[in-house]
Amino acid sequence: MSLKKTLKSDGRTTALCYVRQSWTRTPEDQDSPDRQKSNIQAVCDLHGWTAEWYVDAEGHKTGTKVTNRPGWLALEARLKDADVVAIVANDLARLHRKGWRIGNLLDFADEHGVKLVLAAPGKQMDFSTPQGRALAQMSAIFDEWYAIDISQRAKDMIAHRKRNGKSMGLPPFGTIRDKDGYLTPSPDGAWLLPDGSFVNATSDARPDPAAIWRGYYDAAGRVLDLYSQGSAGLDTIAYTMQIEGWAFRDREGSPAPFEGDDVRRIVANWAEYGGYVYQARARERHPHDHDLSKINLIEERAVFPIELLYKVGEIRRRRTMRRVGSYGLKKNAHPYPLQGLVYCAHCERKATAKQNPKLRSRLGGHTNNAGTVHRYRHKPGSLCGCKARTVKAEFVERDFLRLLQMLTVDTAQIDLMTELGIQLMRLDTPSDELDLEAQKRAAIARCQRKIDAAVTLFGEGRIDKDEYHRRIEQNEREIAHWEARTTDTEKIGLELAVCIEAVNKIATLWEAGSDEDKQGLVRSLFHYIVYDLDAQQIVGFRLKPWADRFITLRGNLDDVKVNGGAGVECNAEGQSPVGVTAVPSP
């Protein structure tokens, strides 16, 4: 399809613009997404469309699947909306590398009157013709074949490297690959400053006279040495590494304090440090599956002493076998109602003070070996200042029930809270937005008159059948658009009613419902909860963005003054329930 030919939009103006990059290795690897965006924006500007962007350009985003592409899934959810005029992508391969998916997309676009437009120079196709659709199907088949061929080549290359003792993927912590592809000690590291923070720099560029160099290779050796002693667990080693001032390197190459999972990653790579390359992927192997006598480390390729590495491997296998033999490899997971939502208050304060959200930590569920005691446990291997590391689940959930009871509102107070919301809304709403209801009525009446006029013109033979259907469809679409819009009063009332019902429902079912039901209900309303392990109480929380208005008005509800029917007076800033901080959405 030629870009010089402007497409008709039938009053619709939103173009769903999709960008995909198959593999993004670093945050700086954005040449392809930027090029795609530039081409797509040019198409939108040409047709006067408003671009709505959906991007899958982080990590591995294959075109043969859709489950790992959240951007595409979000775009699909918008396809049936009345304001969508087109899907714009750089080329067909960015959308899918499956022939049948392209066929389904073309059928869907025809059914809903959505245009499919390609933006790359020389890639345009007219999908409205049989020739264009046939060409699209052929291109999709070639794209699918190309993806399969590339996959086979990559697997063959990986197998070849492994046969030659060369590992794939990110090198184990503390190492890099030399020109031949084998592991060698990494010269990288971080400077430990007097205030306990780390700075990325070379070993010869001291940022402060009192700074101490902490190399990543030396840090990995220290972890292996501590683990080989056999007396310390992963978390204990992580605490030791933090106290001694060692840093771990995250996936972006930045220094970070050690955690229990970082120690696990290092000891799990004990064989790779010795020049051994597993044929199976890490997710497909387990320590108890391997016979250490058949794992032959290569001394000339080992980056640490092989005696130390064998000792680490033996201890790791012994500990794993002990757990498997006593309790079984898998245990039924207890469905903690608040798991994934509760954050440590000490870590929260630390993250806020240092403006580093990576320092936040969730409390995970932990069940004793007998399966009789359930606790919420602090993230292992992370020091934040709290003395208590676990708390019984019943204490956390009992405090959460108290929070729900504080938030609960009698449905008879919805009208009062709605009036409060209207007053708060008027403080920030421009006057030209307050007459939405009048605009809505006028626009619907105007569209109805246009429909009546089209019926008259068609009956008199002044317009043909196609033009008649076009006018009817366009005006019915605009009427549906206006009817979907609500006034601020209706919107506030609806939001409050839904939120009040959700809070009251959770509070009612909390004691009688199952843990699975509680988990689903809580996640539908709460974004996160902040819990102080030492004080054993909830000290903060955040509701979902759609419920933010509720917490503001709930705080004002106790302080309102009703002036004899003259109205409600309240402050512009809402107060949260006593004793708990309600954090507004950013």
Side-chain angles (χ1 to χ4, degrees):
M1 181 180 295
S2 173
L3 291 181
K4 295 182 180 179
K5 181 180 178 181
T6 304
L7 300 172
K8 296 180 180 180
S9 61
D10 298 333
R12 294 173 288 174
T13 60
T14 301
L16 307 182
C17 304
Y18 184 67
V19 174
R20 180 180 69 85
Q21 179 162 262
S22 299
W23 182 246
T24 304
R25 293 171 176 80
T26 65
E28 292 76 24
D29 191 10
Q30 292 294 315
D31 289 343
S32 177
D34 290 345
R35 173 175 52 82
Q36 294 179 50
K37 288 181 179 180
S38 177
N39 292 339
I40 292 172
Q41 187 63 57
V43 171
C44 293
D45 293 342
L46 178 64
H47 301 300
W49 295 335
T50 301
E52 186 173 300
W53 297 96
Y54 296 88
V55 180
D56 285 318
E58 295 182 1
H60 185 208
K61 303 298 181 185
T62 177
T64 60
K65 301 177 182 178
V66 296
T67 53
N68 70 330
R69 292 193 280 157
W72 176 256
L73 295 176
L75 183 148
E76 280 189 324
R78 281 273 284 133
L79 283 178
K80 295 183 181 179
D81 293 347
D83 61 326
V84 176
V85 63
I87 303 170
V88 188
N90 199 56
D91 57 75
L92 274 181
R94 297 306 92 200
L95 296 170
H96 298 296
R97 287 191 182 273
K98 284 286 187 181
W100 66 270
R101 291 190 190 278
I102 291 295
N104 287 351
L105 181 61
L106 291 173
D107 291 340
F108 182 91
D110 287 345
E111 181 182 350
H112 293 82
V114 176
K115 303 170 180 65
L116 179 60
V117 182
L118 304 181
K123 295 288 187 178
Q124 293 82 25
M125 299 181 190
D126 188 353
F127 299 108
S128 63
T129 66
Q131 295 85 351
R133 295 178 70 92
L135 181 60
Q137 292 284 6
M138 291 178 61
S139 297
I141 291 173
F142 280 114
D143 287 335
E144 183 174 356
W145 171 84
Y146 175 78
I148 295 173
D149 183 61
I150 288 295
S151 175
Q152 291 175 342
R153 290 172 182 265
K155 291 178 180 177
D156 182 56
M157 182 268 292
I158 292 172
H160 173 73
R161 287 182 60 90
K162 286 186 174 182
R163 285 194 298 268
N164 287 275
K166 301 176 183 179
S167 60
M168 294 295 296
L170 192 68
F173 174 72
T175 66
I176 58 174
R177 292 191 177 91
D178 60 19
K179 59 183 180 62
D180 296 323
Y182 297 110
L183 297 183
T184 186
S186 171
D188 299 329
W191 286 98
L192 174 63
L193 301 182
D195 62 357
S197 61
F198 295 100
V199 173
N200 248 342
T202 59
S203 58
D204 57 352
R206 186 186 297 270
D208 186 280
I212 302 174
W213 174 251
R214 291 303 194 192
Y216 293 144
Y217 173 74
D218 295 332
R222 178 60 174 155
V223 168
L224 294 171
D225 182 61
L226 291 171
Y227 190 85
S228 68
Q229 297 174 19
S231 57
L234 303 182
D235 297 345
T236 302
I237 294 175
Y239 298 143
T240 302
M241 296 297 288
Q242 290 184 41
I243 294 171
E244 294 181 1
W246 296 98
F248 189 80
R249 177 212 60 211
D250 61 21
R251 296 191 68 87
E252 286 75 35
S254 302
F258 262 87
E259 297 179 357
D261 279 343
D262 302 329
V263 176
R264 177 189 54 78
R265 295 184 182 99
I266 293 173
V267 298
N269 285 323
W270 68 272
E272 282 86 348
Y273 286 127
Y276 181 84
V277 177
Y278 289 102
Q279 298 304 306
R281 294 182 296 179
R283 71 181 67 177
E284 298 171 351
R285 61 180 189 256
H286 196 271
H288 73 275
D289 295 331
H290 301 289
D291 185 353
L292 267 63
S293 64
K294 297 181 180 180
I295 297 181
N296 299 316
L297 303 186
I298 304 172
E299 189 167 2
E300 57 270 20
R301 294 180 188 168
V303 292
F304 292 106
I306 60 173
E307 295 81 5
L308 171 66
L309 297 175
Y310 273 126
K311 193 171 183 179
V312 168
E314 176 59 36
I315 293 174
R316 186 166 183 261
R317 177 179 170 81
R318 187 169 63 245
R319 289 181 176 179
T320 304
M321 292 300 293
R322 186 184 305 129
R323 290 196 298 270
V324 173
S326 299
Y327 315 116
L329 190 56
K330 292 185 178 179
K331 294 184 292 184
N332 293 329
H334 177 73
Y336 290 85
L338 303 179
Q339 188 167 6
L341 293 176
V342 186
Y343 285 78
C344 169
H346 291 76
C347 293
E348 203 76 7
R349 287 191 288 269
K350 190 175 179 180
T352 302
K354 296 191 175 183
Q355 297 183 345
N356 183 6
K358 292 183 179 181
L359 297 179
R360 302 177 71 205
S361 61
R362 291 188 180 95
L363 303 185
H366 178 70
T367 305
N368 68 341
N369 295 327
T372 56
V373 180
H374 307 296
R375 291 178 172 270
Y376 288 95
R377 182 174 65 173
H378 193 284
K379 182 178 181 180
S382 178
L383 291 175
C384 63
C386 65
K387 297 179 180 178
R389 306 297 295 181
T390 66
V391 61
K392 285 187 176 181
E394 60 185 277
F395 295 162
V396 181
E397 292 162 15
R398 184 175 60 199
D399 201 42
F400 179 72
L401 177 59
R402 187 178 71 88
L403 172 61
L404 288 175
Q405 293 169 345
M406 293 166 61
L407 293 175
T408 301
V409 175
D410 190 337
T411 54
Q413 296 178 298
I414 293 180
D415 292 340
L416 179 59
M417 292 184 68
T418 301
E419 187 174 353
L420 281 170
I422 294 171
Q423 291 196 17
L424 293 176
M425 175 270 297
R426 285 173 177 168
L427 296 176
D428 301 318
T429 304
S431 58
D432 58 351
E433 294 184 12
L434 296 177
D435 58 349
L436 174 61
E437 186 61 35
Q439 294 180 31
K440 177 178 175 180
R441 290 195 300 268
I444 293 176
R446 183 170 60 253
C447 291
Q448 192 60 55
R449 289 195 299 270
K450 289 182 179 180
I451 291 176
D452 295 339
V455 173
T456 302
L457 292 173
F458 179 63
E460 295 177 353
R462 298 187 180 184
I463 58 176
D464 58 21
K465 186 177 181 180
D466 291 339
E467 178 63 16
Y468 167 74
H469 285 300
R470 189 194 68 79
R471 294 190 182 190
I472 295 297
E473 181 183 355
Q474 179 177 346
N475 285 283
E476 287 179 345
R477 192 187 303 276
E478 188 170 348
I479 289 175
H481 168 74
W482 280 102
E483 288 179 341
R485 297 185 64 179
T486 61
T487 63
D488 291 314
T489 302
E490 294 171 332
K491 187 182 298 184
I492 292 172
L494 180 61
E495 288 178 353
L496 291 177
V498 171
C499 195
I500 289 173
E501 181 182 0
V503 172
N504 291 353
K505 186 176 181 181
I506 296 175
T508 302
L509 298 178
W510 190 252
E511 296 197 31
S514 65
D515 288 331
E516 291 87 347
D517 293 337
K518 294 177 185 178
Q519 194 176 74
L521 291 169
V522 173
R523 290 172 184 270
S524 69
L525 181 62
F526 283 82
H527 186 48
Y528 66 78
I529 299 163
V530 183
Y531 191 83
D532 190 324
L533 286 162
D534 292 335
Q536 292 193 356
Q537 65 179 12
I538 295 174
V539 296
F541 66 92
R542 174 178 289 176
L543 299 181
K544 295 288 187 180
W546 61 269
D548 275 348
R549 194 192 305 272
F550 167 81
I551 194 60
T552 301
L553 299 177
R554 178 63 183 87
N556 275 321
L557 190 61
D558 296 331
D559 301 327
V560 298
K561 300 176 181 179
V562 182
N563 297 326
V568 180
E569 295 180 355
C570 65
N571 297 323
E573 297 182 0
Q575 303 297 323
S576 56
V578 177
V580 182
T581 302
V583 186
S585 292

